[in-house]
Amino acid sequence: MTLARVGSAQPAPFLVSIGNIHATQYHVVTPAGTWPIAEVNVSTNDQTSTTTHTPAWAIVMVVLFIWFFLLSLLFLLARETRVQGYIAVTISGEGP
């Protein structure tokens, strides 16, 4: 038989975690402290950029096969997409 204490506070599970910022159903937990969700403003700033390049393998294939097939120029249509950068998440609320 197991007895449970009445009114024992179980920690609420984190519903969302972004880096070291966590959110439960009622609170936001950061390294600076814990605040109720109603008193917190969350803003994001997207600093990512997307670029496309011709991959090195496609250039090598064109150089190797250009003398045999003119269709090897179709290798230059191959593209590689690169995404780099970060997304900044800012939490602001009333101080203690």
Side-chain angles (χ1 to χ4, degrees), residues 13-87:
F14 293 143
L15 300 177
V16 176
S17 293
I18 301 173
N20 56 3
I21 300 169
H22 311 286
T24 66
Q25 187 173 0
Y26 302 106
H27 293 89
V28 174
V29 181
T30 68
T34 302
W35 290 276
I37 285 186
E39 297 177 9
V40 173
N41 292 322
V42 179
S43 62
T44 59
N45 190 5
D46 188 1
Q47 294 293 323
T48 58
S49 63
T50 304
T51 57
T52 57
H53 300 278
T54 302
W57 64 266
I59 295 171
V60 169
M61 295 300 281
V62 168
V63 170
L64 289 177
F65 294 112
I66 191 68
W67 302 113
F68 301 111
F69 307 106
L70 277 177
L71 292 177
S72 67
L73 292 175
L74 292 176
F75 283 116
L76 293 177
L77 294 177
R79 290 290 184 195
E80 183 177 84
T81 303
R82 297 178 186 166
V83 179
Q84 57 187 357
Y86 63 94
I87 297 176

